[in-house]
Amino acid sequence: MRIKRIGLLLLPLALLPLLAGCRGPQTAVSTSSPEPTLAASSPLSEEGPAVGPTQTVSPGPDEAATALPAPGPLLAARFGTTVGGVQSGAEAVRRFVREAMTGPSGVYTNYLDTEQSAEQATGHEVLSESASLSLRIAARSGDAAGFAAAWQTAKATFDRAWGFSYRYSPKLGKAYTVNAAVDDLRLIRALYEAGEAFEDRSYTREADRYGERLLRYNAPDGELRDFYDGAAGLANGFLTLCYADFRTLLRLPETAGPKAVAATALTTVENGYLSDRFPFYETRYVYGEKGYRSERINTVESLLTVLHLTEIGREREASIRFIRERVADGTLYGAYSREGEPLSKVESTAIYALTAMIGAERKDGELYRNSLNRMKGFQIEDPASPLNGAFGNEPTQEAYSFDNLMALLAYTY
């Protein structure tokens, strides 16, 4: 029997020492690990979190890493419009997010509110992750007014001198003093996409400015790092491989040195490839140890890594074959051992949203179609339900921003 995983929520890695992954699980089943707790020690340790075995591989000079593509347009023709009959759920989820999950500060983390005082973002707290996804959706959908409004809200909520705060609690009036490079890069990409979509150079100039800031704080030595702590004035000591968004890095102003940062990150990511038998990627690289750490392989992370590589033509064919086969069979699960053994039979909306984006980037109609059809199996279609149109869990009334926004983003490809 298929078990549905209901949500995957991005949190800065340094705050989650017990979780080997970009996102902490928010599930409606008891098959996943307990929710992680905050580190008792400083999250800025050069050694990184204690998350399992270390595989020592020192990224050295790599000629392939310097052969990066020249920056090009971010918005190509929408591939999904050429694949018929797969976008029927888009308007319903768009309406649900707009009417039931959006407040004055942005898109809620969860449909149900909480006290907003937990170690992880919950309830009607808002995340820079959600803001960045919403902005990309608006830009790729050609919604100029929606983008402008969402960008003003995102700036007011998250923008700080050192980066975009990853999390804000409206109930507590609290913005956290940590950014997440993957979300900052996504916000910057959304600005570049808006500049192209709306022919508005002001968005492009803002993207350039924020891109320079990102490299100044999150890659001060030319090595991309997950987060910068504005209160401590320090960056962390490791890179989670799925944080390396090469297409966006390569669009940043040349004066900031983005190509060198992207080349170093590419070498790190490509050396983190596990094997052709299990063609996913290590979780993170710890600079001080010159090695990789992975307790388990979270599928959303590796898929995001594969997507980032696909966007610059550096994906492994073994990875694509593995993804295509598992999507076709409906057996692409949420987490694996490093040897490729499934750790549960949990699936998620976000998994299939990401495989749809990979299919679109490769112009693979079969992968795109199969992915969206699998994804749609998680959508609630009940006019009597308050979650009608959502990707969520009707019995528990849970619906998470990440799943719903990733689905919407996949529909724009």
Side-chain angles (χ1 to χ4, degrees):
M1 181 177 69
R2 192 164 86 160
I3 301 172
K4 294 185 179 182
R5 190 171 201 158
I6 306 302
L8 292 161
L9 174 65
L10 174 68
L11 295 169
L13 249 299
L15 301 182
L16 300 178
L18 301 183
L19 178 68
C22 287
R23 295 170 173 81
Q26 301 283 346
T27 72
V29 295
S30 60
T31 55
S32 61
S33 301
E35 298 253 335
T37 57
L38 289 174
S41 60
S42 168
L44 300 170
S45 166
E46 184 67 23
E47 285 73 31
V51 293
T54 300
Q55 177 191 359
T56 300
V57 181
S58 299
D62 183 354
E63 292 182 6
T66 64
L68 292 161
L74 292 173
L75 294 178
R78 286 182 60 179
F79 180 72
T81 60
T82 69
V83 182
V86 294
Q87 300 209 4
S88 58
E91 185 51 43
V93 66
R94 185 177 292 110
R95 185 184 309 111
F96 172 78
V97 170
R98 181 178 64 246
E99 296 178 358
M101 285 196 71
T102 303
S105 299
V107 177
Y108 304 144
T109 297
N110 194 340
Y111 172 70
L112 297 176
D113 201 5
T114 65
E115 292 302 310
Q116 303 181 13
S117 58
E119 291 169 344
Q120 295 188 23
T122 61
H124 291 184
E125 289 183 88
V126 293
L127 296 165
S128 63
E129 171 188 83
S130 301
S132 63
L133 289 168
S134 298
L135 287 165
R136 288 203 66 207
I137 291 162
R140 295 180 64 86
S141 302
D143 181 3
F147 185 94
W151 175 228
Q152 291 306 311
T153 298
K155 281 199 293 187
T157 304
F158 301 109
D159 194 17
R160 300 294 181 271
W162 39 263
F164 294 101
S165 168
Y166 92 98
R167 172 183 173 188
Y168 175 71
S169 165
K171 189 172 287 187
L172 302 179
K174 178 180 179 180
Y176 289 72
T177 62
V178 174
N179 78 336
V182 66
D183 297 328
D184 284 24
L185 282 165
R186 195 185 297 111
L187 278 160
I188 291 163
R189 183 190 288 213
L191 288 167
Y192 281 128
E193 289 178 330
E196 291 182 17
F198 311 131
E199 298 182 348
D200 188 336
R201 288 286 301 168
S202 67
Y203 288 133
T204 304
R205 288 192 293 271
E206 284 191 286
D208 286 344
R209 179 165 58 86
Y210 286 119
E212 290 173 339
R213 181 181 72 181
L214 174 79
L215 295 182
R216 184 164 61 252
Y217 287 100
N218 286 81
D221 53 3
E223 295 172 334
L224 185 64
R225 293 162 188 263
D226 280 20
F227 78 91
Y228 183 85
D229 187 321
L234 293 170
N236 69 312
F238 53 89
L239 172 68
T240 301
L241 303 195
C242 66
Y243 277 40
D245 177 353
F246 303 108
R247 180 176 282 177
T248 305
L249 283 169
L250 292 170
R251 282 296 301 267
L252 304 185
E254 290 187 13
T255 53
K259 189 167 185 179
V261 174
T264 299
L266 181 59
T267 301
T268 301
V269 170
E270 291 191 327
N271 283 348
Y273 181 72
L274 290 169
S275 71
D276 285 346
R277 190 179 72 80
F278 181 49
F280 276 178
Y281 289 82
E282 297 276 8
T283 299
R284 67 180 62 82
Y285 181 80
V286 183
Y287 291 109
E289 295 178 358
K290 294 183 167 54
Y292 295 90
R293 288 191 176 198
S294 302
E295 183 179 62
R296 64 179 189 172
I297 305 303
N298 289 326
T299 300
V300 163
E301 291 178 342
S302 272
L303 290 175
L304 189 54
T305 298
V306 173
L307 176 61
H308 289 155
L309 290 169
T310 301
E311 289 176 336
I312 60 168
R314 298 297 289 253
E315 74 276 24
R316 297 260 190 160
E317 288 303 317
S319 298
I320 302 303
R321 285 194 300 272
F322 180 88
I323 291 165
R324 292 182 94 252
E325 290 169 4
R326 298 309 187 277
V327 169
D329 295 340
T331 57
L332 190 54
Y333 301 127
Y336 294 83
S337 71
R338 293 182 71 258
E339 291 71 38
E341 295 299 320
L343 299 181
S344 73
K345 295 299 178 70
V346 169
E347 300 173 74
S348 81
T349 301
I351 284 174
Y352 293 116
L354 281 164
T355 60
M357 295 178 211
I358 292 167
E361 287 290 337
R362 285 178 57 91
K363 302 294 187 289
D364 184 336
E366 182 179 1
L367 177 56
Y368 184 80
R369 182 184 301 105
N370 286 345
S371 296
L372 290 189
N373 285 337
R374 293 285 179 196
M375 186 181 82
K376 190 165 171 52
F378 295 91
Q379 190 169 26
I380 296 168
E381 297 179 321
D382 178 4
S385 170
L387 297 186
N388 185 44
F391 290 86
N393 186 323
E394 193 166 17
T396 64
Q397 294 291 286
E398 289 179 313
Y400 289 91
S401 57
F402 186 69
D403 278 333
N404 285 276
L405 293 173
M406 287 295 285
L408 271 175
L409 184 60
Y411 284 128
T412 71
Y413 270 68

